[in-house]
Amino acid sequence: MERTDERYGRYVAILEEELVAAMGCTEPIAIALAAARARELLGAEPARVEVEASGSIIKNAKSVVVPHTGGLKGIEAAAAAGIVAGRAERSLEVIAEVSPEEIAGIAAYVERASIAVERAASELDFDIVVRVFSDAEAQAADAEADACASPARSALVRIADFHTNIVREERDGEVLRDAAPASEGGEAEGMTDRGVLSMAGIWDFAMTVELDDVRDLLDRQIACNGAIVDEGLAGDWGANIGSVMLGAYGDDVKVRACACAAAASDARMSGCELPVVINSGSGNQGITVSVPLIVYARHLGSSDEQLYRALVLSNLVAIHQKTGIGRLSAFCGAVCAGAAAGAGIAYLDGGGYCEACHAVVNALSIVAGMVCDGAKPSCAGKIAFSVNAGILGYVMYRDGQQFYGGDGIVKKGVENTIDSIARLGRDGMRATNDEIIRIMLGS
């Protein structure tokens, strides 16, 4: 694909928009971001906080440790971290820099402040509304205090569709920003249309892209995601799936690819204070599309160029699959990321376009039914199995085996199979997602 091709610039832009660093699980971090921005608008520490979140946000924020909080979990901890120590201008690294005093302050704030959490009535899968109220607001409600006693009594911030998309801001009821979410007919500002992606276009781009156009993005992905692998294997994080796998199954490259990705996830889900370069809004998916390729590249002696091109391929294939499903659903995103990793590994092992496509189709056939029941340590196990499916999907085709159109939800042609997966994740599993949320909330 030539630089003059209209798609070329869009593909680069998509990578720039998606491959960003995040500290901690991205759903609680999005809550922290909204809370930090709400405090900025209020101009003071809130006495009362109300968080409304869609079911899928609650599902992914309920059980995960929020970094830099001393091991606190959940939505209340995320909101408190954003209010006490958040720096909204840092986006998904909103709580990347927190002092020991602020860590103690977060725990104290959770104890003294009123933080209420409710499931939003919104039909959106991704919706967060944070309302904050000052002491002056409480005084006004109780004693009809002078409205001029405080510069601000309340503030509101709403994030919808994706993790950094602030669509509404209010201060004392005055609307400062109002944009309809893309899922309600608006446009996602600054986001490139993912409809430009196709497997053929992705392969062409990955094989021909001028590496200087993507090198910085990929170097950061390699460095950040590689560092959290090392921490995951060295430390005691979550269920230690990576260490368990290596101890039980040996150090074969296929095992190590799965184990390293799992170890990175275990650390991230358990509050490790290292950043991860994400994919499709997810750190776990960012780990899954990159870490197995790094492991294979080292094993095969691949050149830097080969690893870069494999990462471009894997990242974009995952984004392509997730575009039709949406950021959050009952369909485990590690499945798409593992299939994408299989395509990247196929390329590193000398495979071509057909091998990459069949790796994706075969992998999706194997683990398409895996559900997302929120962010927590078991994500590491799901990542390990998804990466294994990606590797098996490639090895099957390399050795003359494949699943065919008409086998279950597999259709003839990779794009048709990706469309089937999108229907399953977006539409078919909507009721499943609701039931998972009800189970998790005990309702």
Side-chain angles (χ1 to χ4, degrees):
M1 187 182 296
E2 299 290 338
R3 272 181 169 169
T4 54
D5 189 318
E6 183 182 2
R7 294 173 299 166
Y8 185 99
R10 294 184 181 182
Y11 278 34
V12 171
I14 290 169
L15 288 172
E16 291 173 343
E17 291 159 12
E18 296 281 10
L19 271 60
V20 297
M23 169 72 73
C25 180
T26 48
E27 279 71 55
I29 293 304
I31 293 168
L33 174 60
R37 178 58 182 151
R39 175 180 174 153
E40 285 183 354
L41 294 174
L42 190 69
E45 182 181 278
R48 182 161 61 92
V49 183
E50 296 175 355
V51 181
E52 291 184 14
S54 57
S56 290
I57 293 292
I58 293 173
K59 180 180 74 173
N60 281 320
K62 177 178 180 290
S63 304
V64 71
V65 175
V66 182
H68 288 132
T69 64
L72 300 179
K73 292 183 179 181
I75 292 172
E76 294 87 347
I83 286 166
V84 173
R87 294 162 178 80
E89 71 277 4
R90 293 290 304 274
S91 191
L92 292 182
E93 293 185 282
V94 59
I95 54 170
E97 297 179 7
V98 180
S99 68
E101 294 76 19
E102 287 172 325
I103 293 174
I106 292 166
Y109 184 77
V110 170
E111 290 297 319
R112 72 172 179 271
S114 171
I115 306 176
V117 177
E118 291 186 3
R119 183 173 178 178
S122 168
E123 295 297 320
L124 304 186
D125 289 323
F126 196 117
D127 206 355
I128 299 166
V129 177
V130 175
R131 295 179 178 87
V132 294
F133 305 90
S134 69
D135 284 328
E137 185 274 344
Q139 293 166 3
D142 293 339
E144 296 183 357
D146 183 353
C148 297
S150 173
R153 296 180 179 178
S154 66
L156 176 150
V157 172
R158 182 188 185 193
I159 293 177
D161 293 330
F162 58 94
H163 298 76
T164 57
N165 189 36
I166 295 177
V167 296
R168 189 174 182 88
E169 293 182 344
E170 296 180 11
R171 186 173 185 270
D172 283 341
E174 179 186 357
V175 177
L176 307 177
R177 176 180 177 79
D178 188 21
S183 42
E184 292 180 350
E187 294 184 2
E189 292 186 12
M191 297 293 281
T192 304
D193 181 9
R194 271 59 172 158
V196 71
L197 296 174
S198 68
M199 284 295 295
I202 291 168
W203 179 268
D204 185 13
F205 176 79
M207 297 304 106
T208 59
V209 60
E210 294 289 340
L211 293 180
D212 285 345
D213 292 337
V214 295
R215 191 185 308 274
D216 289 346
L217 293 172
L218 300 177
D219 280 342
R220 182 172 59 181
Q221 188 175 52
I222 293 166
C224 289
N225 297 5
I228 202 167
V229 169
D230 294 339
E231 178 57 35
L233 290 174
D236 182 12
W237 297 101
N240 292 305
I241 297 295
S243 299
V244 168
M245 290 187 69
L246 291 172
Y249 304 136
D251 201 23
D252 176 89
V253 64
K254 295 184 291 297
V255 174
R256 176 159 286 274
C258 299
C260 286
S265 173
D266 249 334
R268 180 173 172 271
M269 292 291 92
S270 302
C272 179
E273 294 162 0
L274 290 174
V276 165
V277 172
I278 67 177
N279 181 291
S280 302
S282 165
N284 278 343
Q285 290 168 56
I287 288 166
T288 306
V289 298
S290 60
V291 168
L293 276 62
I294 297 168
V295 172
Y296 261 85
R298 290 173 181 165
H299 173 76
L300 295 170
S302 305
S303 66
D304 289 346
E305 177 179 350
Q306 288 172 317
L307 177 56
Y308 288 143
R309 296 197 184 282
L311 286 169
V312 170
L313 176 64
S314 180
N315 276 292
L316 287 174
V317 168
I319 295 164
H320 181 35
Q321 294 173 78
K322 284 290 289 181
T323 296
I325 296 172
R327 296 275 174 174
L328 302 176
S329 76
F331 190 95
C332 177
V335 170
C336 296
I345 289 168
Y347 164 73
L348 288 173
D349 198 44
Y353 176 65
C354 286
E355 284 77 8
C357 289
H358 281 279
V360 170
V361 171
N362 290 340
L364 292 175
S365 303
I366 295 167
V367 287
M370 191 180 293
V371 300
C372 171
D373 56 340
K376 71 285 182 227
S378 67
C379 291
K382 295 182 180 186
I383 285 171
F385 276 86
S386 295
V387 172
N388 184 64
I391 295 169
L392 176 59
Y394 159 58
V395 173
M396 281 177 59
Y397 188 70
R398 184 195 66 187
D399 292 353
Q401 304 297 325
Q402 67 181 87
F403 300 117
Y404 294 91
D407 291 345
I409 60 173
V410 176
K411 300 294 184 183
K412 184 175 178 59
V414 63
E415 297 295 347
N416 291 326
T417 298
I418 290 174
D419 286 344
S420 294
I421 293 297
R423 287 179 57 189
L424 175 64
R426 181 188 63 244
D427 302 325
M429 298 180 77
R430 185 167 293 278
T432 301
N433 199 48
D434 289 340
E435 190 61 30
I436 288 170
I437 294 164
R438 284 193 291 269
I439 291 170
M440 291 180 67
L441 297 179
S443 58

